[in-house]
Amino acid sequence: MTSSYQVVWKGPVNRRSGLGIASREYVRALRAQGVNVTVSAEGGRNSHISSNRKVLIYHYSPSTLDIKKERQRFGTIIINTVWETTRIPLSWIRPINQADAVCVPSLQNKQAMRNSGIKVPIYIVPHGVHSQIYKPAKKRMPSKISNNKFTFISIFGFQHRKNPEALLRAYWEEFSSADNVRLIIKTNGYSPGENEQWIRRQIHAYKARLNITKNTAPIEISTRYLATKSLRSIYAKGHAFVLPTRGEGVGLPLLESLASGVPVITTGWGGHMDYLTEHNSFLVKYKLRPPAASMNRNSSISRKFRSLFSEKGQLWAEPDIGSLRRQMRKAYENPQLCLMKGQRGRRDVLGHSWNRAGSSLKRVIEQVIRTKK
């Protein structure tokens, strides 16, 4: 049965980013729940529905919402967003408080909203993962005899928040060419100039600054856009996923990794802690620090997005390099433990479907409509 209200979705449904994936999946999931959803670019279908039965879900940056204009068309306005530090940007606070509700995907996000003075109802609507697409692949156990290397994988955008410098330094310092190991990095820049050559130059210069001269273990880097099938093949190679992130709203690659039966080595703070545990992951110790502190170091090698992440009062996690090295070494020396943690991770995220996300979001929409009557 189709809903008696109409949802107009304004969000980056055509983007290749994690936000774009989430936008598309939320729309599909709501439609699967029988909700009448129009993506704003599709035009004004079902215009016979009165404005008080029209719901805007805004999935772009809250600071770009023209609330006065949208109030003329929509009876209900819900912002759907995600954030990665302890406080949201100041420019977001007023538009969110002028909306009827805000949806976020994790507990850490809800706390960031509360820390920032958000007064409207805050609902947690978690992301999902396609566990029928991302699923465990048979892989050989590492062995020097058969030349099967223990494979760390890492998938992230080449930006400061993802902390590529800690990943590289920990790997270079902990492992040498004598270890039966490799690291596969799938990354991307954020402008035409931030291509594979630029990323490789950044990494090479950083290694030189660290004065690392020993024969380090191999790293394979890919910056091409990968369709789901190719992305799946990276997870299929991994014995452990590693990302010493400074903050995640959700961490879609972490979810995809667990669904693929690959355990995660990552920072023990952020939105991903809603589904990561010591049973399915190797958690890295950290301290909460102002983002500007690490941005101002010469070790920073990737895009900073300083205007978003360096406002007063914001904190995110700075992972401990020693703890990261120890967890990577522990994973490398215990492939059977990785297998067990990966199997547990797969079981843990089977319930994290996009269908569940659509069901949660539908409940929120109907509750917000009811409270406005």
Side-chain angles (χ1 to χ4, degrees):
M1 193 178 81
T2 307
S3 56
S4 60
Y5 53 88
Q6 182 192 12
V7 168
V8 174
W9 187 278
K10 291 193 178 183
V13 292
N14 295 318
R15 276 192 218 158
R16 289 174 170 178
S17 62
L19 198 66
I21 291 168
S23 221
R24 289 191 293 278
E25 294 294 350
Y26 278 129
V27 169
R28 282 192 197 117
L30 280 176
R31 285 174 175 165
Q33 293 290 324
V35 177
N36 176 354
V37 184
T38 297
V39 175
S40 61
E42 293 174 359
R45 293 183 312 182
N46 301 306
S47 54
H48 60 276
I49 296 177
S50 65
S51 62
N52 67 342
R53 299 297 289 171
K54 277 191 174 180
V55 179
L56 171 64
I57 299 189
Y58 198 77
H59 199 208
Y60 289 113
S61 169
S63 61
T64 62
L65 174 63
D66 185 340
I67 199 100
K68 197 173 176 183
K69 180 181 136 193
E70 302 296 10
R71 280 284 177 212
Q72 293 169 5
R73 289 185 57 209
F74 298 99
T76 302
I77 297 175
I78 299 171
I79 292 174
N80 189 33
T81 193
V82 62
W83 191 243
E84 296 95 2
T85 72
T86 56
R87 285 177 181 269
I88 62 173
L90 291 170
S91 62
W92 288 20
I93 297 170
R94 191 171 176 208
I96 292 176
N97 275 333
Q98 288 177 327
D100 298 304
V102 59
C103 294
V104 293
S106 62
L107 280 165
Q108 182 263 325
N109 274 210
K110 185 171 184 175
Q111 191 57 54
M113 293 280 162
R114 287 268 173 261
N115 293 347
S116 306
I118 295 304
K119 302 285 192 285
V120 296
I122 305 165
Y123 295 95
I124 294 180
V125 178
H127 283 189
V129 64
H130 289 297
S131 52
Q132 73 278 23
I133 294 174
Y134 295 99
K135 54 190 177 187
K138 283 186 179 176
K139 59 174 76 80
R140 294 180 192 162
M141 293 301 270
S143 163
K144 279 193 174 180
I145 299 161
S146 57
N147 202 26
N148 290 326
K149 291 184 184 296
F150 184 99
T151 302
F152 290 108
I153 58 170
S154 195
I155 299 172
F156 58 91
F158 201 70
Q159 61 163 297
H160 188 72
R161 177 171 60 83
K162 301 291 185 174
N163 206 0
E165 65 272 23
L167 169 64
L168 292 162
R169 184 182 159 193
Y171 182 73
W172 285 327
E173 291 181 350
E174 189 60 36
F175 301 102
S176 74
S177 55
D179 291 298
N180 187 41
V181 67
R182 65 175 174 165
L183 168 62
I184 297 175
I185 293 176
K186 164 66 188 85
T187 189
N188 61 273
Y190 293 88
S191 71
E194 294 177 3
N195 55 20
E196 185 161 327
Q197 288 75 17
W198 178 81
I199 289 170
R200 287 182 183 276
R201 281 200 304 273
Q202 293 294 97
I203 291 171
H204 184 74
Y206 177 52
K207 192 176 188 181
R209 285 201 302 277
L210 289 175
N211 201 26
I212 292 172
T213 53
K214 69 174 184 178
N215 286 330
T216 51
I219 297 177
E220 299 169 23
I221 297 169
S222 169
T223 62
R224 295 191 324 275
Y225 169 73
L226 296 181
T228 303
K229 195 175 178 182
S230 302
L231 206 52
R232 268 188 352 208
S233 71
I234 294 182
Y235 290 114
K237 292 171 186 168
H239 296 101
F241 183 104
V242 56
L243 185 70
T245 180
R246 293 180 163 105
E248 297 293 325
V250 180
L252 271 179
L254 307 182
L255 266 175
E256 290 166 356
S257 185
L258 288 193
S260 305
V262 180
V264 169
I265 304 168
T266 196
T267 319
W269 181 86
H272 51 283
M273 292 309 294
D274 283 10
Y275 57 87
L276 293 188
T277 70
E278 290 188 345
H279 300 294
N280 59 31
S281 312
F282 299 86
L283 299 175
V284 175
K285 291 176 180 170
Y286 67 91
K287 288 182 178 171
L288 290 178
R289 292 281 184 262
S294 57
M295 287 180 183
N296 295 336
R297 291 192 208 121
N298 70 355
S299 58
S300 174
I301 61 173
S302 54
R303 186 179 279 240
K304 297 180 178 71
F305 294 104
R306 194 185 283 269
S307 62
L308 289 172
F309 295 119
S310 57
E311 289 184 355
K312 192 178 176 185
Q314 286 182 328
L315 300 171
W316 64 15
E318 278 300 326
D320 179 83
I321 288 273
S323 174
L324 174 59
R325 286 178 60 174
R326 286 190 296 275
Q327 294 291 42
M328 290 177 78
R329 175 62 66 176
K330 184 178 179 181
Y332 169 72
E333 291 182 348
N334 297 277
Q336 202 62 42
L337 177 62
C338 289
L339 192 63
M340 284 167 55
K341 282 181 183 272
Q343 288 168 345
R344 175 62 182 263
R346 167 78 180 171
R347 290 199 303 272
D348 289 346
V349 301
L350 280 176
H352 291 248
S353 66
W354 281 108
N355 197 42
R356 180 186 73 149
S359 178
S360 298
L361 190 48
K362 182 183 180 183
R363 280 197 304 274
V364 168
I365 293 164
E366 291 173 359
Q367 188 169 335
V368 175
I369 290 171
R370 279 196 304 274
T371 58
K372 286 188 63 83
K373 281 182 180 175

